[in-house]
Amino acid sequence: MNGLMQAQQLTTAMLIRHAATNHPQREIVSRGADGALARSNWRTVERHARHIAAGLADLGLKPGDRVATLAWNRLPHLELYYGVSGAGMVLHTVNPRLFPEQIRYIIDHGGARILCVDADLLPIIEPLLADLPKIERVIVLADQADMPETRIADPISYQSLIGGPSAIAAWPDIDENSASALCYTSGTTGNPKGVLYSHRSTVLHAMSALANDSMSLGAADSILVVTPLFHVNAWGIPYSAAMAGSKLVLPGSALDPVSLYELMRDEGVTFSLGVPTIWFAFLDHLERERAIEDRQALKLDRIFTGGAATPRSLIERFRSLLGVETMQAWGMTETSPVATVCRPLAHHADLSDADQIDLRALQGRSVFGVELRIEDEDGHELPRDGEAAGLLKVRGPWVLNAYHGQPAGSALDAGGWFDTGDVAKIDPDGFLQITDRAKDVIKSGGEWISSIDLENAAVAHPKVAEAAVIGVAHPKWQERPLLLVQLHPGETCTKEEVMEHLADKVARWWLPDDVIFVEELPHTATGKLLKTELRKRHGDHFAAAADAVS
Ligand code: AMP
């Protein structure tokens, strides 16, 4: 017997219609390339999105066609999110910080017919266009009067797309299982792989973010979107903010601490999200250059971090400087991305401050809909005892089943689980602790050493700005940890000082065999430590040291 409820399809159009109807005046603030702020609202975003839908159809695009974007967190990019997918086409967001060849590969592999690009990113795309035969037209995200000189043939201005008389009257019916957006993994090794989100997975993921034990978003929130719109759909914020009716603050390309501080202060920001490296720079700025009254001027209520492990020191500093709690989340491009979020349980209420910070340094518990499992190398499930570390697998309605262009189900094992490539522990309360990427774990004398734990311990030293630990080949132990440290500007420190600091924080046999001080650590285009590069640079460190001694 079927239930007698309306089988309304879950689509992105449903989200923007809701925001335009129920939160029409809620503001969207966007910082342009020149630093000027543009102000719009959900009603106008929806109207512009209907113009985009009509304009793309006029250009000959059909449902399922891809539209690529190379753009910062600005208003046009947000409007494209809804205009493109609401019309049944697929929004393919591309990361402009990648190497040119990766950008070319990703756009070509995604198969877009139209490319939308911010005017300040044109120099990246101009030299690549000759090798992108599938791109038919380029839309420059600028007003007609501001169209830059370009050697691209027949560029269309964004203004002509949204300013013309034609707009679709109503959003078309779309099957909720059809694709809405495409995003590529950052791929530190091999070619990046495409993850194709559906309307249904997008709406369910967005709804999950609103839950109290996830981002806990509401209409009263003002959200500073630090996470790029080209990185896993800014962790779903454009969708969940429309569902909640929140205000959005889009910082453009300026993610420096001064710009972020000013936007937070002036736009009454209550919630923000981003990778830990951004927040370290922000807290350094607050600590060194802002008076107490400046800090008190912020309305910030909570910070959501992810993309890399959040060190204890970050959580501690947000608390002591701003009285703000950090919520760490774990996820990946393949999981839309939010899969776990760290919020305390009732029985944690009486924990000491230090224990609460320890708790928040975990990756958290699965949100409803996502299942987790850890396995040993033979595929046997490991206990949730907080001790056993194994390969982390996930499944759920917003976890991928195959990469773009691969047969359905090909990314899953026989039980329907997706292997994340992360190594983790799960404790009896269900709290996940990521100890490493499987390829970064340090295998020493038959045991595993967690590079993440060592890095977190190292950055707790007040002089250390960032730390990376890699496993380096060792003649006796197979691998031993090598610690690379970037100090805060102007600081000096010795190897002995660092080792002494680590001595009571990790097991003796985990202590790194050497410490190297570096000017700067390399990062991927999404802000993660680029360990492949570090292994290339320092992979023979212990062999070289042994040679030097002999
Ligand atoms: P991406 O697909 O680029 O978002 O990268 C996903 C990967 O980032 C995961 O597989 C993890 O290795 C890492 N990651 C994301 N969030 C966290 C976190 N909170 N702690 C540790 N690693 C994380």
Side-chain angles (χ1 to χ4, degrees):
M1 186 185 205
N2 284 337
L4 293 174
M5 292 292 116
Q6 299 178 13
Q8 202 178 346
Q9 300 294 294
L10 303 175
T11 62
T12 60
M14 196 176 166
L15 299 176
I16 192 64
R17 257 198 330 251
H18 169 80
T21 308
N22 298 292
H23 307 277
Q25 303 295 346
R26 194 65 173 136
E27 254 187 321
I28 316 288
V29 180
S30 167
R31 196 173 190 279
D34 58 359
L37 297 184
R39 291 183 185 274
S40 184
N41 56 37
W42 284 114
R43 174 187 283 153
T44 311
V45 168
E46 196 265 353
R47 183 164 51 79
H48 286 177
R50 281 189 287 110
H51 278 274
I52 292 168
L56 293 174
D58 286 349
L59 289 169
L61 263 70
K62 303 267 178 309
D65 282 345
R66 269 78 71 209
V67 175
T69 60
L70 196 68
W72 302 115
N73 286 14
R74 295 182 187 138
L75 201 43
H77 206 178
L78 177 73
E79 292 174 342
L80 285 164
Y81 259 66
Y82 284 107
V84 173
S85 64
M89 294 145 203
V90 182
L91 183 84
H92 177 190
T93 54
V94 182
N95 183 345
R97 298 202 187 103
L98 295 170
F99 295 117
E101 172 48 27
Q102 282 177 313
I103 294 178
R104 191 209 59 76
Y105 173 87
I106 286 173
I107 296 176
D108 192 61
H109 193 265
R113 295 176 58 191
I114 300 277
L115 173 66
C116 305
V117 55
D118 269 335
D120 45 347
L121 293 171
L122 272 173
I124 294 181
I125 208 65
E126 281 168 335
L128 300 178
L129 264 188
D131 295 320
L132 289 169
K134 295 171 198 149
I135 298 289
E136 296 164 23
R137 291 297 285 274
V138 173
I139 297 170
V140 181
L141 302 175
D143 285 352
Q144 192 61 40
D146 300 331
M147 281 292 275
E149 282 283 315
T150 172
R151 53 183 151 111
I152 293 171
D154 269 346
I156 303 169
S157 79
Y158 184 67
Q159 190 182 28
S160 65
L161 195 69
I162 59 168
S166 94
I168 57 168
W171 293 105
D173 290 334
I174 293 175
D175 176 344
E176 64 179 14
N177 288 308
S178 56
S180 60
L182 175 64
C183 196
Y184 278 65
T185 59
S186 26
T188 47
T189 50
N191 277 328
K193 290 179 273 191
V195 179
L196 201 49
Y197 307 103
S198 67
H199 283 265
R200 175 185 153 84
S201 73
T202 301
V203 172
L204 291 176
H205 175 262
M207 195 179 258
S208 153
L210 267 49
N212 192 40
D213 280 336
S214 184
M215 295 183 189
S216 185
L217 297 176
D221 274 313
S222 168
I223 304 173
L224 177 62
V225 194
V226 174
T227 310
L229 290 171
F230 53 74
H231 187 213
V232 213
N233 302 320
W235 304 353
I237 285 291
Y239 307 115
S240 36
M243 191 178 271
S246 315
K247 169 175 171 175
L248 280 184
V249 183
L250 303 170
S253 59
L255 300 185
D256 60 282
V258 178
S259 307
L260 293 185
Y261 172 81
E262 288 173 358
L263 279 178
M264 270 192 195
R265 181 194 57 200
D266 299 344
E267 301 304 329
V269 167
T270 56
F271 176 92
S272 189
L273 69 173
V275 291
T277 36
I278 293 270
W279 298 123
F280 270 119
F282 176 73
L283 291 171
D284 286 349
H285 169 72
L286 280 192
E287 206 162 38
R288 283 159 201 212
E289 285 155 58
R290 295 279 170 185
I292 295 211
E293 309 82 73
D294 292 338
R295 294 184 215 153
Q296 286 170 342
L298 298 184
K299 296 205 176 85
L300 194 63
D301 178 54
R302 56 212 191 279
I303 283 282
F304 196 84
T305 59
T310 299
R312 206 178 175 282
S313 53
L314 190 87
I315 301 164
E316 207 165 17
R317 288 172 75 199
F318 262 118
R319 274 189 153 200
S320 61
L321 284 172
L322 292 175
V324 163
E325 291 295 5
T326 308
M327 300 181 282
Q328 176 166 198
W330 170 86
M332 12 183 5
T333 309
E334 289 88 336
T335 65
S336 294
V338 182
T340 72
V341 182
C342 192
R343 308 287 314 253
L345 296 173
H347 68 83
H348 295 133
D350 298 330
L351 287 183
S352 67
D353 277 359
D355 288 347
Q356 292 208 15
I357 294 170
D358 283 343
L359 180 81
R360 286 178 184 274
L362 300 174
Q363 277 71 20
R365 293 150 40 82
S366 16
V367 295
F368 166 77
V370 174
E371 291 177 86
L372 307 176
R373 164 190 169 102
I374 46 172
E375 287 182 359
D376 65 16
E377 280 169 310
D378 300 323
H380 300 121
E381 185 167 9
L382 292 170
R384 293 173 164 235
D385 58 7
E387 299 289 330
L391 303 167
L392 176 64
K393 293 191 169 180
V394 289
R395 66 181 182 195
W398 52 88
V399 176
L400 98 169
N401 78 58
Y403 291 100
H404 177 46
Q406 302 293 317
S410 56
L412 306 182
D413 69 11
W417 295 89
F418 171 70
D419 183 349
T420 65
D422 283 343
V423 178
K425 299 175 184 176
I426 303 176
D427 78 9
D429 278 333
F431 283 84
L432 179 76
Q433 181 183 2
I434 301 287
T435 57
D436 247 313
R437 288 294 289 163
K439 59 184 174 1
D440 292 339
V441 79
I442 300 155
K443 294 183 174 155
S444 177
E447 302 277 354
W448 286 4
I449 297 176
S450 158
S451 65
I452 294 183
D453 280 359
L454 273 174
E455 287 157 7
N456 285 348
V459 291
H461 191 292
K463 291 181 180 173
V464 175
E466 200 176 6
V469 175
I470 54 169
V472 170
H474 189 280
K476 179 163 176 203
W477 300 108
Q478 183 185 0
E479 280 182 352
R480 287 297 301 158
L482 172 66
L483 169 62
L484 297 119
V485 169
Q486 182 185 330
L487 296 174
H488 284 296
E491 294 288 4
T492 52
C493 187
T494 61
K495 173 179 162 184
E496 289 68 34
E497 234 178 306
V498 175
M499 293 300 268
E500 198 180 323
H501 164 80
L502 293 177
D504 63 350
K505 296 184 177 61
V506 296
R508 242 178 90 78
W509 63 276
W510 277 36
L511 286 172
D513 280 25
D514 203 359
V515 182
I516 299 180
F517 295 95
V518 294
E519 285 295 308
E520 204 175 348
L521 288 165
H523 292 96
T524 66
T526 50
K528 293 185 211 304
L529 283 166
L530 191 51
K531 293 201 177 170
T532 43
E533 179 58 29
L534 290 174
R535 280 192 280 266
K536 226 185 279 168
R537 286 185 202 166
H538 303 285
D540 66 348
H541 184 77
F542 296 137
D547 285 351
V549 171
S550 60

Short mmCIF file of all heavy atoms in Angstrom, two decimals, residues 279-307:
data_model
loop_
_atom_site.label_atom_id
_atom_site.label_comp_id
_atom_site.label_asym_id
_atom_site.label_seq_id
_atom_site.Cartn_x
_atom_site.Cartn_y
_atom_site.Cartn_z
N TRP A 279 41.73 30.29 9.39
CA TRP A 279 41.39 30.76 10.74
C TRP A 279 42.61 31.06 11.58
O TRP A 279 42.59 31.93 12.44
CB TRP A 279 40.44 29.77 11.44
CG TRP A 279 39.15 29.64 10.70
CD1 TRP A 279 38.59 28.50 10.21
CD2 TRP A 279 38.26 30.71 10.32
NE1 TRP A 279 37.41 28.78 9.56
CE2 TRP A 279 37.19 30.13 9.61
CE3 TRP A 279 38.26 32.09 10.49
CZ2 TRP A 279 36.14 30.88 9.09
CZ3 TRP A 279 37.23 32.84 9.97
CH2 TRP A 279 36.18 32.24 9.28
N PHE A 280 43.70 30.35 11.35
CA PHE A 280 44.94 30.66 12.08
C PHE A 280 45.38 32.09 11.76
O PHE A 280 45.72 32.87 12.64
CB PHE A 280 46.05 29.67 11.73
CG PHE A 280 46.05 28.48 12.64
CD1 PHE A 280 45.86 27.20 12.17
CD2 PHE A 280 46.24 28.66 14.01
CE1 PHE A 280 45.85 26.12 13.02
CE2 PHE A 280 46.23 27.58 14.88
CZ PHE A 280 46.04 26.30 14.38
N ALA A 281 45.35 32.45 10.48
CA ALA A 281 45.77 33.79 10.08
C ALA A 281 44.82 34.83 10.69
O ALA A 281 45.25 35.89 11.15
CB ALA A 281 45.77 33.89 8.56
N PHE A 282 43.54 34.52 10.70
CA PHE A 282 42.53 35.43 11.26
C PHE A 282 42.78 35.66 12.76
O PHE A 282 42.77 36.79 13.24
CB PHE A 282 41.14 34.82 11.00
CG PHE A 282 40.01 35.59 11.58
CD1 PHE A 282 39.62 36.79 11.01
CD2 PHE A 282 39.33 35.12 12.70
CE1 PHE A 282 38.56 37.52 11.55
CE2 PHE A 282 38.27 35.83 13.23
CZ PHE A 282 37.89 37.04 12.66
N LEU A 283 43.04 34.56 13.49
CA LEU A 283 43.24 34.69 14.94
C LEU A 283 44.54 35.43 15.25
O LEU A 283 44.61 36.23 16.19
CB LEU A 283 43.25 33.30 15.59
CG LEU A 283 41.89 32.60 15.59
CD1 LEU A 283 42.02 31.14 16.03
CD2 LEU A 283 40.90 33.32 16.51
N ASP A 284 45.58 35.19 14.44
CA ASP A 284 46.85 35.93 14.63
C ASP A 284 46.58 37.43 14.53
O ASP A 284 47.07 38.22 15.31
CB ASP A 284 47.88 35.54 13.55
CG ASP A 284 48.46 34.17 13.81
OD1 ASP A 284 48.23 33.62 14.91
OD2 ASP A 284 49.13 33.63 12.90
N HIS A 285 45.78 37.80 13.52
CA HIS A 285 45.45 39.21 13.31
C HIS A 285 44.70 39.77 14.52
O HIS A 285 45.03 40.84 15.03
CB HIS A 285 44.62 39.34 12.03
CG HIS A 285 44.01 40.69 11.83
ND1 HIS A 285 44.75 41.79 11.49
CD2 HIS A 285 42.72 41.11 11.96
CE1 HIS A 285 43.95 42.84 11.41
NE2 HIS A 285 42.71 42.46 11.68
N LEU A 286 43.69 39.02 14.98
CA LEU A 286 42.90 39.50 16.13
C LEU A 286 43.79 39.71 17.35
O LEU A 286 43.68 40.71 18.06
CB LEU A 286 41.84 38.46 16.50
CG LEU A 286 40.56 38.40 15.72
CD1 LEU A 286 39.56 37.51 16.45
CD2 LEU A 286 39.93 39.78 15.52
N GLU A 287 44.67 38.74 17.56
CA GLU A 287 45.51 38.75 18.76
C GLU A 287 46.50 39.90 18.73
O GLU A 287 46.72 40.57 19.72
CB GLU A 287 46.27 37.43 18.84
CG GLU A 287 46.65 37.04 20.23
CD GLU A 287 47.00 35.55 20.26
OE1 GLU A 287 47.62 35.05 19.28
OE2 GLU A 287 46.65 34.89 21.23
N ARG A 288 47.10 40.11 17.55
CA ARG A 288 48.19 41.09 17.48
C ARG A 288 47.73 42.51 17.18
O ARG A 288 48.36 43.47 17.60
CB ARG A 288 49.17 40.67 16.39
CG ARG A 288 50.04 39.54 16.86
CD ARG A 288 50.65 38.77 15.75
NE ARG A 288 51.02 37.47 16.29
CZ ARG A 288 52.03 36.75 15.91
NH1 ARG A 288 52.79 37.18 14.94
NH2 ARG A 288 52.30 35.60 16.46
N GLU A 289 46.67 42.62 16.38
CA GLU A 289 46.36 43.97 15.88
C GLU A 289 45.00 44.51 16.28
O GLU A 289 44.64 45.62 15.87
CB GLU A 289 46.49 43.98 14.35
CG GLU A 289 47.95 43.98 13.92
CD GLU A 289 48.13 43.39 12.55
OE1 GLU A 289 47.52 43.93 11.63
OE2 GLU A 289 48.87 42.40 12.41
N ARG A 290 44.23 43.76 17.03
CA ARG A 290 42.89 44.27 17.38
C ARG A 290 42.74 44.38 18.89
O ARG A 290 43.08 43.43 19.62
CB ARG A 290 41.81 43.33 16.85
CG ARG A 290 41.76 43.24 15.35
CD ARG A 290 41.00 44.40 14.77
NE ARG A 290 41.17 44.43 13.31
CZ ARG A 290 40.69 45.39 12.55
NH1 ARG A 290 40.03 46.41 13.07
NH2 ARG A 290 40.88 45.36 11.25
N ALA A 291 42.19 45.51 19.33
CA ALA A 291 41.96 45.71 20.76
C ALA A 291 40.74 44.90 21.20
O ALA A 291 39.97 44.43 20.36
CB ALA A 291 41.70 47.20 21.01
N ILE A 292 40.58 44.80 22.52
CA ILE A 292 39.45 44.02 23.06
C ILE A 292 38.12 44.55 22.51
O ILE A 292 37.23 43.79 22.15
CB ILE A 292 39.45 44.10 24.60
CG1 ILE A 292 40.71 43.41 25.09
CG2 ILE A 292 38.18 43.52 25.18
CD1 ILE A 292 40.62 42.75 26.43
N GLU A 293 37.99 45.91 22.41
CA GLU A 293 36.71 46.47 21.93
C GLU A 293 36.43 46.01 20.49
O GLU A 293 35.29 45.79 20.11
CB GLU A 293 36.71 48.02 21.91
CG GLU A 293 37.14 48.70 23.19
CD GLU A 293 38.64 48.77 23.33
OE1 GLU A 293 39.26 49.55 22.61
OE2 GLU A 293 39.20 48.01 24.16
N ASP A 294 37.50 45.88 19.68
CA ASP A 294 37.33 45.40 18.30
C ASP A 294 36.78 43.98 18.29
O ASP A 294 35.94 43.62 17.47
CB ASP A 294 38.66 45.40 17.54
CG ASP A 294 39.17 46.80 17.29
OD1 ASP A 294 38.35 47.72 17.31
OD2 ASP A 294 40.39 46.95 17.08
N ARG A 295 37.31 43.17 19.21
CA ARG A 295 36.84 41.78 19.27
C ARG A 295 35.40 41.74 19.76
O ARG A 295 34.59 40.96 19.27
CB ARG A 295 37.71 40.96 20.22
CG ARG A 295 39.12 40.82 19.72
CD ARG A 295 39.88 39.90 20.66
NE ARG A 295 41.26 40.33 20.78
CZ ARG A 295 42.02 40.10 21.83
NH1 ARG A 295 41.56 39.45 22.86
NH2 ARG A 295 43.26 40.52 21.85
N GLN A 296 35.09 42.63 20.72
CA GLN A 296 33.72 42.63 21.27
C GLN A 296 32.72 43.14 20.25
O GLN A 296 31.52 42.89 20.38
CB GLN A 296 33.68 43.47 22.54
CG GLN A 296 34.34 42.74 23.70
CD GLN A 296 34.54 43.63 24.92
OE1 GLN A 296 34.50 44.85 24.80
NE2 GLN A 296 34.79 43.02 26.05
N ALA A 297 33.20 43.83 19.22
CA ALA A 297 32.28 44.36 18.20
C ALA A 297 31.74 43.25 17.30
O ALA A 297 30.81 43.47 16.52
CB ALA A 297 33.01 45.41 17.35
N LEU A 298 32.33 42.05 17.39
CA LEU A 298 31.86 40.94 16.54
C LEU A 298 30.66 40.25 17.18
O LEU A 298 30.61 40.08 18.39
CB LEU A 298 32.98 39.92 16.31
CG LEU A 298 34.24 40.42 15.60
CD1 LEU A 298 35.21 39.27 15.38
CD2 LEU A 298 33.91 41.09 14.27
N LYS A 299 29.73 39.81 16.30
CA LYS A 299 28.57 39.06 16.80
C LYS A 299 28.73 37.56 16.54
O LYS A 299 27.79 36.78 16.67
CB LYS A 299 27.30 39.53 16.07
CG LYS A 299 26.95 40.98 16.34
CD LYS A 299 25.46 41.20 16.12
CE LYS A 299 25.02 42.60 16.45
NZ LYS A 299 25.19 43.52 15.33
N LEU A 300 29.94 37.17 16.16
CA LEU A 300 30.20 35.78 15.78
C LEU A 300 29.76 34.83 16.89
O LEU A 300 30.09 35.05 18.06
CB LEU A 300 31.71 35.63 15.51
CG LEU A 300 32.12 34.35 14.79
CD1 LEU A 300 31.52 34.30 13.39
CD2 LEU A 300 33.65 34.27 14.72
N ASP A 301 29.02 33.79 16.50
CA ASP A 301 28.47 32.87 17.49
C ASP A 301 29.13 31.49 17.41
O ASP A 301 29.32 30.80 18.39
CB ASP A 301 26.96 32.76 17.21
CG ASP A 301 26.26 31.79 18.13
OD1 ASP A 301 26.41 31.97 19.35
OD2 ASP A 301 25.61 30.86 17.64
N ARG A 302 29.49 31.06 16.18
CA ARG A 302 30.13 29.74 16.03
C ARG A 302 30.92 29.67 14.73
O ARG A 302 30.61 30.37 13.77
CB ARG A 302 29.10 28.62 16.12
CG ARG A 302 27.97 28.73 15.15
CD ARG A 302 26.67 28.16 15.74
NE ARG A 302 25.69 28.06 14.65
CZ ARG A 302 24.98 29.10 14.22
NH1 ARG A 302 25.11 30.29 14.75
NH2 ARG A 302 24.12 28.92 13.22
N ILE A 303 31.93 28.81 14.76
CA ILE A 303 32.81 28.63 13.61
C ILE A 303 32.80 27.16 13.22
O ILE A 303 32.89 26.28 14.09
CB ILE A 303 34.26 29.05 13.99
CG1 ILE A 303 34.38 30.56 14.02
CG2 ILE A 303 35.30 28.44 13.08
CD1 ILE A 303 34.50 31.20 12.65
N PHE A 304 32.69 26.91 11.94
CA PHE A 304 32.61 25.55 11.43
C PHE A 304 33.89 25.29 10.63
O PHE A 304 34.19 26.06 9.71
CB PHE A 304 31.38 25.49 10.52
CG PHE A 304 30.89 24.12 10.18
CD1 PHE A 304 30.04 23.43 11.06
CD2 PHE A 304 31.23 23.52 8.98
CE1 PHE A 304 29.55 22.18 10.73
CE2 PHE A 304 30.73 22.26 8.65
CZ PHE A 304 29.90 21.60 9.54
N THR A 305 34.65 24.27 11.03
CA THR A 305 35.92 24.02 10.33
C THR A 305 35.91 22.63 9.72
O THR A 305 35.24 21.73 10.20
CB THR A 305 37.11 24.09 11.30
OG1 THR A 305 36.92 23.12 12.33
CG2 THR A 305 37.25 25.46 11.92
N GLY A 306 36.69 22.47 8.67
CA GLY A 306 36.81 21.16 8.04
C GLY A 306 37.82 21.22 6.93
O GLY A 306 38.50 22.23 6.74
N GLY A 307 37.94 20.11 6.20
CA GLY A 307 38.87 20.07 5.07
C GLY A 307 40.24 19.59 5.49
O GLY A 307 41.01 19.08 4.68
#
